[in-house]
Amino acid sequence: MKATQISKDNGVVKFSIEFTADEWADAINKAYIANRAKFSIDGFRKGKAPRKIIENYYGHDIFWDEALNGLLETGYYDAIKQMDIEVISQPSLDTPEIKKDEPVVITGSVQVFPEIDVKKYKGLEIEKIETKIGEKEVKEELEKVQKSQARMENVEDRKSEKGDTLVFDFEGFVDGEAFSGGTAENYELVLGSGQFIPGFEEQLEGKNPGDECDVEVVFPGDYHAEELAGKPAVFKCKIHEIKKEILPEIDDELASDVSEFETLAEYKKDLKKKLQEKASETDLSVMKDRTLEQLYELNEIEVPAVMIENELDNMLYDMNQSLASQGLGLQQYMDWTGKTIEDVKNEARPEAEKRIRTRILLKNIIRIEGLEVEESEVEALMKEFGEQYGMTPDQVKEMAGSDTEAYFREDAQTKKAIDFLFDNAKQVAAKKTTKKSTKKDDKKDDKKDDKKEDKSEDK
């Protein structure tokens, strides 16, 4: 099989695919073997008639359509690889002129990934971000650690109050009838968390273990279950336990329990270092995202409609997968929201167009600048992906199939293109007022840290 690119104009490639006479003969024979059971001819058991007999009876070209489809099933994709083009639509194929025992030449056209002249991509201006981690951020992180080490203790000497965890049973009624999904046993609820509909949790304050009570509420008008929206309801509740959260002290003991450090001062120093590293990574990511935003805003280009539709299909697929992970389906979502597929697509269309336009711009920058990636960069991305999902590189290849390398190569090239944009951008200073305020606060935080660490070391 030989593929030839005849011309390329306005994003449309015209091409020809030539199959040899031997390839054509082999395809006809395969079509005969696959379809012979469909033919009944006098003198032969069904499916046993020789090919020539069937051709004489039904016509010499009886298997040609099937043979042509068989050739194109793999031959078209091999032709795309030979021509080294990235197609974005289904091909339009001309009906070939076929002669017995001669090569078959198929001509056609297909839309390909747009090649454009990106004019504004160097010297983009982005505001420099330098987050400074101080005492406030370290304190907040310590409080998260403290909360993670909390223990629950039963309350015996007082009534329930906001912040307590209640263990209780409940059953909901609307118009005197129990409704689906309104019943639970030994349910744990933190009072004041806002987990239940407005007015519910407040009525469970001031209770004792063993108490039974009716909680009267009205479902919000926009409640997701239409049959309950706006209706008054009564929940019959029985309280089993009241628990309160006991937080450990933030001290050397906590530090040694959650880290390799013996003192709080050492642990705080390490926390600050790690928080700063994480913040710097986030700053870099945000600045790169803003560089992409600038690229998008400064380059108005025409996006092929077929690419937007393909992206919308991908987004719908991802949405369906996400809903499925929550035990829902796309149809169920649409039933709840009263939307149609077209409504969902129209809402997602601006984002789809933005994604495709950005991809077109980046791929053309890769082409214009000749940005290549090493095999080690592709392998590193595959390894990173595998580690994230607990897979070996071989398992990643098996999962992604024959296009594995191409997928990760494009990902690596995209990262390189974004790095190129960022490295060639101008980082401008943030507003002076913000900078002064930040520096002042940072100095205060640093002095606080130094004093506290000195005191801890003195002890």
Side-chain angles (χ1 to χ4, degrees), residues 261-318:
F261 302 104
E262 293 300 320
T263 67
L264 180 61
E266 291 174 306
Y267 180 47
K268 285 177 67 176
K269 189 173 182 179
D270 183 67
L271 266 183
K272 185 175 182 179
K273 178 186 174 184
K274 288 177 179 175
L275 287 172
Q276 186 62 65
E277 289 172 352
K278 187 176 180 181
S280 297
E281 287 177 6
T282 301
D283 290 346
L284 182 60
S285 178
V286 170
M287 285 192 289
K288 287 182 178 181
D289 286 344
R290 290 181 181 176
T291 307
L292 273 182
E293 284 290 333
Q294 283 244 335
L295 176 73
Y296 175 80
E297 290 169 4
L298 292 174
N299 290 274
E300 287 284 347
I301 61 171
E302 187 176 342
V303 180
V306 65
M307 294 187 74
I308 297 175
E309 292 304 318
N310 289 341
E311 184 63 22
L312 285 171
D313 289 340
N314 291 336
M315 292 170 75
L316 279 176
Y317 175 82
D318 291 342

Side-chain angles (χ1 to χ4, degrees), residues 104-137:
V104 174
V105 179
I106 300 171
T107 58
S109 61
V110 68
Q111 274 188 278
V112 294
F113 197 91
E115 282 191 8
I116 61 169
D117 182 18
V118 187
K119 295 180 179 178
K120 299 175 183 177
Y121 66 94
K122 288 183 180 178
L124 302 175
E125 287 194 358
I126 52 169
E127 186 178 294
K128 190 172 184 179
I129 305 173
E130 286 184 298
T131 300
K132 176 74 172 172
I133 297 299
E135 177 68 17
K136 177 176 176 289
E137 289 77 19

